Amino acid sequence: MTEASTPAPDDGRVEVTIDGRVTRAPRGQLVLDAAAAVGVHIPIYCAHPKMDPVAVCRMCLVQVEKMPKLQPACATYVSEGMVVQTQTVPVAKAREGVLEFLLLNHPLDCPVCDRGGECDLQDFTLRYGPETSRMPITDKVHFDKAVPLSDKIELDQERCILCWRCTRYYEEITGEKEIVLQERGVHTSVATFDSRPLRSAFQGNLPEICPVGALTHRQYRFVARPWDLQRARSVCPECSYGCNINIDSREYEVKRFASRDNPLVDDMWLCDRGRYSAPRWNRTDRVRRPVVRAQGGDQEVSAQNAVREAGRRLREVRDQHGANAIGVIGSVECTNEEAWLLQRLAREAIGTTHLDHQLDPFPGLSPEEHALGIAEIEDCSAVVVLGARPEQQAPVLTLRLFKAQRKRGTAVHRLPVDVDGATLRGITGGRLVGVIADEVDRPQAAHVAQLLAGGNTEVRRLTVTRGVNGRGCKDLGLLPNLLPGYRPAPGAGRCGTEILEATGAGQVRALVIMGSHPWAAAAGVLLTGALNAADLVVAIETQPGPVAQAATVLIPGHTHVEKAGTVTNLEGRVQRIRQALPPATTVPTELRVLSMLAAELGCERWPAETVAVDREVSATLPAYAVAGNGGRTRWPVPVP
Amino acid sequence: MMLAARTRAEIEHTRRRYPHPRSAIMPSLWAVQHELGWLPPEAMAEVAELLGLAPSEVQAVATFYSMYFKRPPGRHHILVCVNAACALRGADETAAHIEQRLGCPSGTTTADGMFTWESTIECLGGCGGAPMMQVDHHFEEHLTPERIDAILARVAAQPADHRDWPPARVPNPPASTTPPPPTAEGPPSAGAAG
Amino acid sequence: MAEYKLLTKDIGVEGLQTLPVYERRGGYQALRAALRDRTPDEIVEQVKISGLRGRGGAGFPTGTKWSFLPRDVFPRYLCINADESEPGCFKDRYLIDENPHQLIEGIVIAAYALQVKHAFLYIRGEYHDQRLLLERCVEEARAAGYIGERILGSDFGCDVIVHGGAGAYICGEETALIDSLEGFRGQPRLKPPFPAVKGLYGKPTVVNNVETLSNLPHILSRGGEWFKAIGTERSTGTRVWCCSGHIERPGCYEMELGRPIRELFEEHCGGMWRGRSLKAFQPGGGSMQVLLPDHLDLPLDMDAVMRAGSSLGAGAMMFMDETTCLVNVSMRLVDFYHHESCGKCAPCREGTYFESQLMHRLEAGVATLDELDTLKDICANMDGKCFCPLGDTATWFVMSAYRHFRHEFEAHCGAGGCPVAREHRPLPAGAAR
Ligand SMILES: Cc1cc2nc3c(=O)[nH]c(=O)nc-3n(C[C@H](O)[C@H](O)[C@H](O)COP(=O)(O)O)c2cc1C
Ligand code: SF4
Ligand code: FES
């Protein structure tokens, strides 16, 4: 200690001692986080990693040397030489005191509370709390119980410990200010204006940030106990934003989608459309058995026989009419592995040039269309959002825009798609400007980006692709005109719409369809016409529908929650999905079915496991090797 | 729109006095209360709209402060301080006298809608003239049963147009430094005793 | 002590609330001289020399507080704290009622010293007539060129905006005052950052009490050194004492700091009423600890009273005679904090509620000795754990009363009523809230 006065080189860190553990913590870090970093747990209620400190619950009080009073770890920043104690008698007494206060007016309804088992009030009371209450039960302050705040959220005022997280959520995260505090003192409660229902598109995050059971999902009321749930780490199936989720299931049913923080993508928030889509995956009208339609009527067969039959009939069409008489259409719900094998099947095993994953033609992708990462929005001085579609398609984008606005002062300009040049010239540049547009508005976005660029201003674009893996399907060349990695395909074939048209017109005689439901409704009569005209329809479908009904060979497919693999979000981040439910069918995975089918068509030894396919993908597209790193890297679109 | 043009104009005016329109919430709520006598939710929403805020933000403020009425009060409002300093000089007896005179308990309105009265634990800053009360915001100090009766009679005779509320001030006989009138009995002595 | 009447010297002069009379008594001369002869820094220096300490309760040296403002950050704001809601305090109301222009002159001097263009005077909602009076006086001063652009021909301009509160004691706490002024629920903010760095609208802000600022014309007209000679070394000047309770002459009395409390009690207040004897008194306002008759010989000196275990706080003195029940007084003060807790932090919100429940049981004579222990324990769990001083102080009076009058508290347990009331007044107990 004698020569300690020699100043340490300033590495932006300070030395702090927490419960005797000496560490160098980044300047500006909260004591709470510095403690966590050295393995010291400090209980919290009001503190939240995504919100500004308010220090209202006083649960995190710790002893800081040279300070006369205990200090809230959630709002105290580390400083050089700070010595913190979290295990002393005064700290223990303070924690016990705070818990007694919080429980004073808290009801004793843990047995019927949806939060039971994942409630911080229960947990910390067990660890740090008093054993009994000294408050006569008759003296408790009563509030309304189980008040619906909307069709999604229910509020139990009595359970509320007034941690301010929900009000801060509306203030700091969505900016909508729907929930506020009213009255004061012990009569304080959270409320909406004039008790009107919540309208936010992000209500489902409320029960997750609530540390107790005050805000609960109406959808999940009395549904399950957390310890009975099985959890699978996955990605939300609803849009291309790629929010990370946990799929919680029990007894072969999805019970809920819970958020899983990926600071680079969702920042731990989900939109209601995605979150509350959970029950959709429990639908019972499923294709369960392989069927071969023959003259004598439908016949249930084994998967092997179905594939064998499909192979035989495809060979027949190819022999009679040539490979280009076969069209292959996948969907944006194909995983990367499926998309990879499907385009290989089309190109290599069948030999056709007509393949796609959607209906509309996709003229091509240039690197700058996806140059802007989601998290980089926060680095922009200004962001132009063209039209309402981007935020309709990928709602959580709105929260990122608001965060950038609030924390970095990013100017967010929501402009019509056909915005005029004069308006754009009014936007002051800065170093980095973002342009966000929907996939269908790419030409306009290119135009806008061009007008905004110049001087010291760099413009980066973010294109909102459609569907959970629309981006991956494109990256992997499930397109008529582009090979994996956006290399131009020789002899570009027909896009989805054109394949259906050509089938109706008799030019294409056989269809291989995998997962039609994302586009079947939009295809309408075009699809019906094609199905009627086709000699052969080989379909891998999860649900009944026109395609399943018309299929000559029908093979059951697996839904998003029944399969494993990777999907790529709109900014090019490859993320893993995992199986959450046992499949509704005993048929092998799509990967295996596709490789079996390839074998029938004369291509032996294709990979049929996710890992093996991934290895193959990354051999062609090295950037896809990042799939293994938990979605931390996005891959840049290669310059063609 | 439920607010009078005059009130709206006043809100617009106060809004310009502050660097941020949000600061005008409290003065605006006062303007509304002076017009309507209380703060109905529709009026809060209208204030929010005039100030460019969410209605919930106005409600959050309106419910925090004890002087904004969330329900319509009677024509005149009486507030009796029963905090320690007043209690020492007989505030409980004052409150009891008013309750008996008006025939309704603290926090309620007389049947004829003339008076809403409440005893408050909030110190009103009249300890030097205790026991005291506020009638339509005016201090009435050194209360005795006789003075209370006189005040009630006087106020009941006054109109209660909230717009010009409170009515013109009638000065208190004793200034705040003057000692209370020497009464043989005075208010009961052990004022603070329950 | 007549020579040391500063703030109240002219009170009683007919029409002092009007500008001509105030001017005739020498009003606005200090402002005129300051604008003409002194730089802002010189004024800050004079205030520092004067040793003036804040009169709002905490007693922080005013000049030092002013010098915390970061240089070169503008705009800055001045907030005048006229939220006076501390139980037992009515001096700010008195100073406004009786000499409003003295306050306005002090405000403009402070605004000039701090280079502030907007001063916000936050006055509690209950002081409605006082607000109207101040608004009228501000207009008067504006018409006479003391407020507005280019005040008295100088380069300095400043506006004074009177902002009415609406009933919330906590808005007297400086950061809650700022929150309230900004149009939020008036709840305290995290410190740091302190208002001097990041206050109103995120800008450097000074919050000063009415009485503090009312001293400025006097300091400026006669100099910091002159002021410093009044009072004691660390408690300079005079203060306006709010005297209430069982005394002959309740009211506001200005007295030099450092004089014995007994002088205030006997000479100004006229001693106990009805020939009764003093049982206890509370200096400083409802937040502060109770003192005993022996303490009457303490000087009116912030540090001396602090050493005796209480505080001069906001300058209130509440005297209680022998018939007073300390449990009852404690109950009322606890009720007050329960009523006024803003609800932001858990220990204060729930603790004051718990305290109040227990005090009512105690006063009604139905509590047990165990509950007395509980009371002590929850007070310990609140004190020092709350977000702002309100929750901490909600325990101070009751705990000091418990310490000094333990027998009285214990006698209430299971007594089925208030034993003190029974002794002094054969009436059934009926605790009012
Ligand atoms: C709960 C609480 C209530 C307060 N109420 C008042 C008040 O009513 N008036 C006041 O001038 N200061 C009040 N203060 C003190 C202010 O926070 C602040 O210290 C003061 O206004 C500063 O002015 P001064 O330096 O001139 O004393 C209160 C403080 C607390 C913690
Ligand atoms: S101690 Fe807490 S609840 Fe009480 S007034 Fe201060 S911040 Fe509000
Ligand atoms: S977590 Fe620190 S005070 Fe609530």
Side-chain angles (χ1 to χ4, degrees):
Chain A
M1 287 307 286
T2 40
E3 294 304 294
S5 53
T6 346
D10 190 1
D11 57 351
R13 289 172 175 265
V14 292
E15 186 175 298
V16 288
T17 310
I18 302 171
D19 288 351
R21 293 171 222 195
V22 184
T23 173
R24 291 188 65 74
R27 200 188 303 277
Q29 194 178 36
L30 291 167
V31 169
L32 181 66
D33 300 327
V38 295
V40 172
H41 174 255
I42 298 172
I44 54 165
Y45 289 117
C46 65
H48 191 279
K50 308 288 177 187
M51 301 179 195
D52 297 344
V54 283
V56 300
C57 74
R58 318 304 286 176
M59 189 63 209
C60 66
L61 293 177
V62 294
Q63 231 169 328
V64 178
E65 225 165 67
K66 300 202 191 81
M67 301 269 210
K69 290 185 185 182
L70 300 180
Q71 299 293 316
C74 72
T76 307
Y77 296 92
V78 292
S79 63
E80 186 61 50
M82 186 183 256
V83 178
V84 179
Q85 304 278 354
T86 78
Q87 301 295 331
T88 58
V89 172
V91 173
K93 171 117 178 70
R95 285 178 184 170
E96 197 178 311
V98 168
L99 281 166
E100 179 178 43
F101 290 139
L102 291 177
L103 289 165
L104 275 187
N105 292 309
H106 195 85
L108 303 171
D109 60 356
C110 299
V112 292
C113 177
D114 284 334
R115 255 338 247 276
E118 49 186 359
C119 168
D120 290 344
L121 196 54
Q122 280 183 342
D123 295 354
F124 297 159
T125 302
L126 188 69
R127 270 176 86 168
Y128 309 109
E131 280 150 34
T132 54
S133 173
R134 295 178 291 188
M135 174 87 167
I137 292 174
T138 46
D139 287 354
K140 282 183 190 278
V141 179
H142 287 293
F143 285 105
D144 293 341
K145 288 184 77 75
V147 185
L149 287 186
S150 69
D151 54 345
K152 304 189 181 73
I153 301 293
E154 194 135 276
L155 169 66
D156 187 322
Q157 285 291 5
E158 291 191 346
R159 294 181 189 154
C160 171
I161 59 165
L162 293 170
C163 67
W164 292 30
R165 282 190 186 173
C166 56
T167 55
R168 281 185 291 154
Y169 172 72
Y170 271 118
E171 174 118 10
E172 299 176 20
I173 309 296
T174 78
E176 294 164 312
K177 304 184 177 157
E178 285 196 312
I179 294 186
V180 293
L181 295 165
Q182 63 170 6
E183 306 294 334
R184 74 166 185 233
V186 80
H187 304 290
T188 311
S189 60
V190 299
T192 61
F193 174 68
D194 201 19
S195 302
R196 294 184 192 163
L198 299 176
R199 289 164 52 189
S200 170
F202 307 99
Q203 301 171 25
N205 295 313
L206 291 167
E208 281 191 350
I209 54 170
C210 178
V212 296
L215 290 163
T216 48
H217 300 290
R218 300 188 73 185
Q219 189 189 71
Y220 181 71
R221 243 171 108 65
F222 306 129
V223 162
R225 283 302 190 191
W227 50 82
D228 289 334
L229 291 173
Q230 293 197 317
R231 180 155 270 200
R233 291 142 55 83
S234 188
V235 172
C236 176
E238 276 297 303
C239 80
S240 63
Y241 203 71
C243 296
N244 295 195
I245 59 169
N246 283 313
I247 301 178
D248 285 345
S249 63
R250 178 179 165 224
E251 290 172 356
Y252 312 136
E253 273 194 10
V254 175
K255 295 298 182 191
R256 66 177 179 190
F257 285 172
S259 79
R260 185 161 66 86
D261 185 13
N262 185 340
L264 298 170
V265 182
D266 45 77
D267 214 13
M268 92 165 269
W269 313 118
L270 298 181
C271 73
D272 291 350
R273 189 177 86 207
R275 181 189 299 273
Y276 293 123
S277 72
R280 182 150 74 77
W281 304 98
N282 296 330
R283 45 188 300 171
T284 48
D285 54 334
R286 291 284 305 276
V287 174
R288 291 175 196 277
R289 298 213 165 72
V291 174
V292 171
R293 302 238 148 82
Q295 236 99 52
D298 297 356
Q299 206 186 338
E300 277 187 14
V301 296
S302 71
Q304 258 93 356
N305 286 342
V307 172
R308 201 165 297 143
E309 181 66 9
R312 188 181 65 78
R313 305 277 300 263
L314 282 171
R315 279 199 309 271
E316 254 174 41
V317 175
R318 186 172 59 186
D319 292 348
Q320 275 177 30
H321 305 283
N324 268 346
I326 303 175
V328 174
I329 312 179
S331 93
V332 291
E333 290 187 0
C334 293
T335 62
N336 286 324
E337 293 73 16
E338 292 164 359
W340 174 260
L341 286 190
L342 191 60
Q343 63 87 23
R344 273 192 74 187
L345 181 85
R347 293 198 165 102
E348 296 171 32
I350 298 173
T352 179
T353 55
H354 307 314
L355 70 159
D356 209 340
H357 67 288
Q358 60 182 14
L359 297 178
D360 297 332
F362 182 77
L365 186 102
S366 59
E368 69 266 23
E369 286 184 17
H370 292 274
L372 181 68
I374 291 171
E376 284 163 23
I377 290 174
E378 289 173 42
D379 301 334
C380 294
S381 49
V383 174
V384 172
V385 184
L386 287 183
R389 273 190 288 255
E391 287 171 272
Q392 279 162 5
Q393 293 297 331
V396 177
L397 178 60
T398 307
L399 301 186
R400 184 68 70 162
L401 289 168
F402 184 69
K403 183 179 178 193
Q405 223 170 345
R406 185 172 173 275
K407 294 232 156 156
R408 310 290 158 97
T410 304
V412 176
H413 305 273
R414 292 180 167 86
L415 301 175
V417 176
D418 55 356
V419 55
D420 56 69
T423 313
L424 289 171
R425 273 188 293 279
I427 292 170
T428 36
R431 200 185 53 77
L432 183 63
V433 173
V435 174
I436 303 178
D438 186 75
E439 161 175 319
V440 301
D441 298 322
R442 284 180 298 125
Q444 289 87 341
H447 179 64
V448 167
Q450 207 171 22
L451 287 179
L452 286 172
N456 294 328
T457 306
E458 183 193 349
V459 178
R460 285 195 211 154
R461 285 169 55 198
L462 178 62
T463 303
V464 179
T465 48
R466 296 280 177 88
V468 59
N469 199 30
R471 170 73 196 264
C473 291
K474 295 178 182 73
D475 286 353
L476 298 185
L478 191 50
L479 288 168
N481 50 338
L482 295 168
L483 299 178
Y486 300 100
R487 287 168 294 130
R494 296 185 158 106
C495 74
T497 308
E498 290 162 352
I499 292 174
L500 294 179
E501 281 166 357
T503 314
Q507 290 153 313
V508 168
R509 315 296 289 246
L511 290 172
V512 176
I513 293 177
M514 186 159 131
S516 64
H517 78 264
W519 50 261
V525 289
L526 193 58
L527 176 60
T528 332
L531 292 172
N532 284 340
D535 296 344
L536 169 67
V537 178
V538 174
I540 306 177
E541 289 287 297
T542 58
Q543 297 164 26
V547 174
Q549 208 169 4
T552 332
V553 178
L554 175 63
I555 301 172
H558 297 74
T559 63
H560 189 84
V561 303
E562 294 168 350
K563 63 191 177 189
T566 64
V567 291
T568 308
N569 81 345
L570 51 81
E571 52 166 354
R573 193 176 303 281
V574 184
Q575 308 187 101
R576 218 163 260 297
I577 64 169
R578 293 176 181 79
Q579 186 189 335
L581 287 191
T585 168
T586 53
V587 167
T589 64
E590 278 83 333
L591 298 185
R592 185 156 301 278
V593 166
L594 289 174
S595 79
M596 280 159 58
L597 189 54
E600 290 299 325
L601 294 167
C603 300
E604 293 292 337
R605 306 175 70 84
W606 278 19
E609 303 292 339
T610 314
V611 195
V613 180
D614 281 346
R615 213 174 294 131
E616 215 177 82
V617 172
S618 33
T620 312
L621 289 177
Y624 262 65
V626 299
N629 80 351
R632 307 239 163 260
T633 334
R634 46 188 205 102
W635 78 284
V637 176
V639 180
Chain B
M1 284 203 303
M2 70 180 310
L3 295 177
R6 193 180 127 172
T7 308
R8 291 174 68 92
E10 189 176 334
I11 293 172
E12 292 289 354
H13 173 73
T14 40
R15 178 192 167 133
R16 283 194 293 276
R17 290 199 314 181
Y18 298 93
H20 193 289
R22 176 189 295 281
S23 288
I25 293 184
M26 290 181 75
S28 303
L29 291 176
W30 277 125
V32 172
Q33 185 152 313
H34 284 172
E35 182 198 325
L36 303 172
W38 67 297
L39 302 177
E42 302 76 39
M44 292 191 213
E46 199 170 326
V47 167
E49 190 202 303
L50 286 170
L51 301 180
L53 302 166
S56 57
E57 296 176 273
V58 175
Q59 175 181 284
V61 170
T63 56
F64 183 81
Y65 300 95
S66 62
M67 294 177 75
Y68 293 129
F69 298 133
K70 269 69 73 182
R71 264 170 295 141
R75 270 172 63 184
H76 299 285
H77 188 254
I78 300 177
L79 209 51
V80 185
C81 171
V82 295
N83 202 324
C86 277
L88 292 176
R89 299 185 77 93
D92 287 357
E93 288 74 6
T94 303
H97 182 75
I98 291 175
E99 172 160 1
Q100 182 246 323
R101 264 304 131 112
L102 299 182
C104 62
S106 167
T108 62
T109 305
T110 52
D112 60 1
M114 179 65 81
F115 293 103
T116 296
W117 86 278
E118 52 192 302
S119 69
T120 179
I121 195 68
E122 192 178 347
C123 172
L124 297 176
C127 327
M132 58 75 63
M133 64 181 178
Q134 281 199 322
V135 181
D136 294 341
H137 293 186
H138 297 308
F139 281 88
E140 301 287 355
E141 302 182 319
H142 305 297
L143 297 176
T144 59
E146 300 74 48
R147 263 180 57 69
I148 294 171
D149 293 348
I151 292 164
L152 292 182
R154 188 190 75 215
V155 172
Q158 282 167 357
D161 184 357
H162 289 296
R163 216 173 285 248
D164 301 310
W165 186 71
R169 175 169 192 178
V170 183
N172 288 321
S176 47
T177 41
T178 331
T183 47
E185 291 307 312
S189 58
Chain C
M1 297 303 103
E3 69 266 37
Y4 290 130
K5 284 219 186 306
L6 307 176
L7 311 189
T8 62
K9 159 169 74 48
D10 292 334
I11 286 178
V13 172
E14 181 72 22
L16 186 62
Q17 294 84 346
T18 62
L19 187 61
V21 177
Y22 181 68
E23 280 177 326
R24 219 172 300 137
R25 304 289 303 184
Y28 288 109
Q29 288 308 323
L31 172 66
R32 196 178 291 277
L35 288 173
R36 191 185 53 222
D37 305 332
R38 293 186 199 266
T39 65
D41 284 349
E42 283 168 19
I43 298 177
V44 176
E45 195 51 35
Q46 285 302 311
V47 173
K48 269 194 191 164
I49 291 172
S50 77
L52 176 69
R53 290 168 69 174
R55 307 302 198 220
F60 196 84
T62 306
T64 313
K65 187 192 262 189
W66 288 6
S67 55
F68 286 155
L69 288 186
R71 297 197 83 84
D72 310 326
V73 183
F74 296 95
R76 304 158 157 187
Y77 295 107
L78 171 66
C79 296
I80 301 91
N81 192 339
D83 191 58
E84 184 171 69
S85 314
E86 180 81 17
C89 284
F90 46 100
K91 65 183 174 73
D92 295 343
R93 173 182 155 219
Y94 174 67
L95 289 173
I96 292 167
D97 261 339
E98 304 293 344
N99 201 350
H101 279 291
Q102 173 177 265
L103 170 61
I104 294 174
E105 184 176 2
I107 293 172
V108 183
I109 291 172
Y112 173 62
L114 300 168
Q115 292 293 293
V116 158
K117 293 203 161 315
H118 292 277
F120 293 92
L121 196 160
Y122 189 102
I123 182 164
R124 70 181 294 196
E126 289 85 354
Y127 289 179
H128 183 263
D129 292 336
Q130 288 72 16
R131 177 163 72 82
L132 297 183
L133 175 65
L134 280 171
E135 277 171 358
R136 200 206 75 211
C137 291
V138 165
E139 288 321 311
E140 242 182 342
R142 192 192 309 279
Y146 298 122
I147 290 177
E149 298 293 309
R150 307 186 56 82
I151 294 171
L152 298 176
S154 71
D155 288 343
F156 177 70
C158 159
D159 196 8
V160 178
I161 295 137
V162 181
H163 186 97
Y169 164 65
I170 188 60
C171 291
E173 197 282 333
E174 54 184 5
T175 58
L177 182 147
I178 289 171
D179 243 29
S180 178
L181 198 46
E182 282 190 19
F184 293 100
R185 297 157 60 78
Q187 294 182 313
R189 294 179 177 178
L190 271 174
K191 292 193 253 186
F194 290 92
V197 178
K198 205 161 172 271
L200 190 62
Y201 308 115
K203 296 288 183 268
T205 301
V206 165
V207 182
N208 273 137
N209 171 258
V210 166
E211 187 186 347
T212 312
L213 294 178
S214 294
N215 271 296
L216 293 182
H218 304 281
I219 294 175
L220 266 281
S221 57
R222 307 183 59 180
E225 290 291 351
W226 168 83
F227 189 88
K228 186 176 159 48
I230 311 170
T232 71
E233 166 131 22
R234 295 199 57 235
S235 296
T236 60
T238 66
R239 287 190 71 169
V240 180
W241 306 99
C242 316
C243 303
S244 65
H246 294 146
I247 43 176
E248 275 296 332
R249 289 189 297 273
C252 284
Y253 305 102
E254 183 176 9
M255 234 175 82
E256 184 186 354
L257 280 151
R259 312 293 308 174
I261 299 178
R262 186 179 296 283
E263 189 179 318
L264 175 67
F265 172 62
E266 284 173 0
E267 290 180 19
H268 292 282
C269 303
M272 278 285 114
W273 69 349
R274 297 174 191 165
R276 295 217 179 115
S277 57
L278 178 66
K279 179 172 182 178
F281 70 101
Q282 183 190 35
S287 302
M288 300 309 164
Q289 292 87 345
V290 72
L291 291 178
L292 302 175
D294 288 350
H295 292 120
L296 278 183
D297 292 313
L298 284 173
L300 287 166
D301 169 274
M302 298 179 203
D303 304 311
V305 175
M306 199 86 86
R307 277 192 297 276
S310 188
S311 165
L312 285 181
M317 290 281 166
M318 190 174 76
F319 297 94
M320 293 162 254
D321 73 15
E322 68 215 37
T323 68
T324 312
C325 169
L326 266 298
V327 172
N328 189 300
V329 175
S330 304
M331 176 189 76
R332 287 177 201 262
L333 290 173
V334 163
D335 277 354
F336 169 78
Y337 289 102
H338 168 48
H339 187 260
E340 296 302 328
S341 167
C342 80
K344 181 166 185 165
C345 71
C348 170
R349 179 183 67 234
E350 310 290 336
T352 52
Y353 172 73
F354 202 173
E355 250 191 304
S356 156
Q357 300 281 318
L358 288 174
M359 288 309 296
H360 276 265
R361 288 172 56 77
L362 191 62
E363 172 61 6
V366 297
T368 61
L369 280 171
D370 279 354
E371 283 174 276
L372 214 45
D373 284 340
T374 304
L375 177 69
K376 218 176 106 188
D377 194 48
I378 53 170
C379 285
N381 286 344
M382 291 167 67
D383 194 6
K385 321 286 192 302
C386 295
F387 189 95
C388 85
L390 188 151
D392 300 344
T393 55
T395 68
W396 291 1
F397 183 88
V398 52
M399 279 299 106
S400 64
Y402 181 56
R403 239 183 348 265
H404 292 304
F405 298 93
R406 193 177 177 123
H407 55 92
E408 200 166 304
F409 276 67
E410 286 172 355
H412 275 74
C413 292
C418 174
V420 183
R422 212 177 280 148
E423 184 182 329
H424 291 286
R425 195 169 48 147
L427 284 175
R433 296 195 72 165

